[in-house]
Amino acid sequence: SAVISQKPSRDICQRGTSLTIQCQVDSQVTMMFWYRQQPGQSLTLIATANQGSEATYESGFVIDKFPISRPNLTFSTLTVSNMSPEDSSIYLCSVEAGGAEAFFGQGTRLTVV
Amino acid sequence: GQQVMQIPQYQHVQEGEDFTTYCNSSTTLSNIQWYKQRPGGHPVFLIQLVKSGEVKKQKRLTFQFGEAKKNSSLHITATQTTDVGTYFCAGGGGGGNKLTFGTGTQLKVEL
């Protein structure tokens, strides 16, 4: 299993600013995933972050808007840049540890005003 | 790209009634996983199915993977208030250990 600490748990931000979300895992993992979950909706994969290489972004998500860092095998950050109200959502980091099941952080509830 | 749909979107049941959610993928899956998300919480892994036609049980929950590996179902017998939440299926096979989450079924259980 894996225990993931994600922070902040929630934030209210002004439009045009940026927020960096941190995700710390209690064990080394190869791949970390960042998801967005809009209210009442499913999870949409933003990008996959591997240590030592650039993140791989899904269709509709770009590095300039969602830069990701992956400095080591236990840590990653996602930045939501130049925020607008449409970015209001829950952002979740996730890892696979050993088996194929995914473990999730507690999520960051972002409100942009 | 791969799309995974679930029906129904919402389900209200009386405690003690059964509940089923169905999951359908536009493409063949290497595996299917099921997650439960309580209100205000994060998704929690329930089970993974890998083999065509596989059936697994966890107490009151029964999971099935279709013969063609494109659909799956979750059945809960005699629902309880603790079953409240949104149930997501998630399909593997999108490449690079990626999961494609289904649209989810929100279950509400009334006393």
Side-chain angles (χ1 to χ4, degrees), chain A residues 31 33 35 37 40-43 45 48 58 90 92 96 100-107 109, chain B residues 9-10 31 33 35 37 40-45 48 88 96-104:
Chain A
M31 303 172 82
F33 304 89
Y35 289 87
Q37 186 176 29
Q41 302 296 313
S42 183
L43 285 75
L45 183 63
T48 303
E58 298 300 306
I90 298 171
L92 294 147
E96 291 179 8
E101 64 184 277
F103 295 89
F104 287 86
Q106 298 294 325
R109 187 178 296 270
Chain B
Q9 187 176 3
Y10 304 99
N31 64 77
Q33 298 179 15
Y35 292 81
Q37 186 174 27
H42 61 280
V44 174
F45 176 80
Q48 175 175 268
F88 292 100
N97 293 344
K98 290 191 302 185
L99 292 174
T100 301
F101 278 80
T103 48

Side-chain angles (χ1 to χ4, degrees), chain A residues 38-65:
Chain A
Q38 295 179 313
Q41 302 296 313
S42 183
L43 285 75
T44 301
L45 183 63
I46 297 172
T48 303
N50 291 326
Q51 193 267 335
S53 64
E54 284 196 1
T56 303
Y57 289 82
E58 298 300 306
S59 176
F61 297 96
V62 295
I63 188 171
D64 289 346
K65 176 67 175 177

Side-chain angles (χ1 to χ4, degrees), chain B residues 40-85:
Chain B
H42 61 280
V44 174
F45 176 80
L46 293 176
I47 208 160
Q48 175 175 268
L49 304 171
V50 178
K51 299 177 182 177
S52 170
E54 189 171 12
V55 178
K56 287 188 176 180
K57 293 189 176 184
Q58 288 180 349
K59 298 181 180 179
R60 295 179 293 105
L61 278 61
T62 302
F63 304 84
Q64 292 187 331
F65 199 9
E67 294 291 340
K69 301 183 74 173
K70 294 182 70 175
N71 57 75
S72 181
S73 65
L74 159 59
H75 179 81
I76 302 178
T77 303
T79 55
Q80 301 174 358
T81 55
T82 54
D83 296 324
V84 165

Side-chain angles (χ1 to χ4, degrees), chain B residues 15 21-22 29-30 34 40-41 48 57 62 97 101-102 105 109:
Chain B
E15 188 177 43
T21 173
Y22 299 92
L29 302 169
S30 60
W34 285 91
Q48 175 175 268
K57 293 189 176 184
T62 302
N97 293 344
F101 278 80
T105 296
V109 181

